[in-house]
Amino acid sequence: MIGLFLLSAWLKSSKWKKSFFWAGVFLLVFFSNQYISNRVMLWWEYAPIPMEEVGNYDVAIVFSGVTKGSKAPRDRVYFGNGADRITHTLQLYNEGKVKNIIVSGGLGFQQVKNTAAADRLESFLTMAGVPDSVITKESDAANTYENAVNVAKILKEKFPDQKYLLITSAFHMTRSKLCLEKQGVDFDIFPAGFLTTRSTANFDDLFIPKSEAIGRWEQLIKEMVGIATYKLMGYI
């Protein structure tokens, strides 16, 4: 969109100026439309599963990516989008639906004075009353592929032949699921951290541009590019 607007300002031909300008306007209106972005993401995201329909599992597997590691002071856990990944895991544990919890995530690509993502999730769970003996921490993974590889090793060594439940954000579930399946793990899924709302056709959603809508498209395109890249790399 920015490129089209810049071209419309730079080009001398009035015909191309108008064409690029209105193309930019069209894309801006389309991608900032709340109704369209919500409908597309509803198609992409896995649907929520009612708690009463969740069975009993030996191990819940939680992929990180929902905390802010560089935020200070470091006397608390700072959550970003997708905190439902860990809060819903806590709810499942409190309801007796999971016995053990694996939290997976390292420093990612932010190699600064951070704590590992898994450390922050572990801290939250222990503050919420989950015993240390229930939590297994994997704090080396830098991306979703490494999450799957490292967790698969833990399952094989510590929790062989048990029932597993993968918990991650609904928009991220497809890539996570494919990566863990590639490691030969048999599991069920529990999507959380939804970016969508119930589909409505009110005036605001249909006609008022929203930055939130552009954010949904950003997440969706990131996941699609991620899946394509992982496919080329042989990760899935």
Side-chain angles (χ1 to χ4, degrees), residues 39-190:
R39 291 294 299 180
V40 173
M41 188 60 85
L42 280 169
W43 162 76
W44 178 262
E45 283 188 334
Y46 280 76
I49 300 171
M51 286 288 182
E52 62 184 16
E53 296 181 10
V54 179
N56 295 319
Y57 294 87
D58 299 296
V59 184
I61 304 161
V62 186
F63 287 176
S64 63
V66 299
T67 56
K68 302 175 182 179
S70 60
K71 190 70 175 175
R74 300 173 190 273
D75 55 0
R76 69 205 76 176
V77 179
Y78 300 91
F79 284 106
N81 293 331
D84 291 355
R85 295 189 197 184
I86 197 67
T87 58
H88 290 176
T89 300
L90 177 63
Q91 182 177 349
L92 289 168
Y93 172 77
N94 287 334
E95 293 184 6
K97 293 181 180 292
V98 297
K99 297 178 183 177
N100 299 280
I101 302 170
I102 298 176
V103 289
S104 173
L107 292 174
F109 297 107
Q110 299 180 14
Q111 303 295 329
V112 293
K113 295 180 180 179
N114 286 353
T115 55
D119 293 339
R120 301 191 291 271
L121 295 184
E122 178 191 39
S123 176
F124 168 77
L125 290 173
T126 54
M127 284 191 294
V130 179
D132 290 338
S133 58
V134 169
I135 306 168
T136 300
K137 183 174 58 176
E138 186 290 299
S139 54
D140 294 325
N143 54 43
T144 304
Y145 169 69
E146 292 182 8
N147 285 140
V149 171
N150 296 346
V151 164
K153 291 177 181 177
I154 293 173
L155 295 177
K156 183 178 180 180
E157 295 171 0
K158 191 174 180 179
F159 304 103
D161 302 320
Q162 298 189 27
K163 290 186 66 178
Y164 312 126
L165 184 67
L166 173 62
I167 302 172
T168 191
S169 294
F171 76 89
H172 183 58
M173 183 60 77
T174 298
R175 184 153 53 116
S176 302
K177 181 173 178 287
L178 290 171
C179 285
L180 199 55
E181 286 175 343
K182 182 74 171 181
Q183 301 306 311
V185 179
D186 185 22
F187 59 93
D188 292 331
I189 63 171
F190 185 87

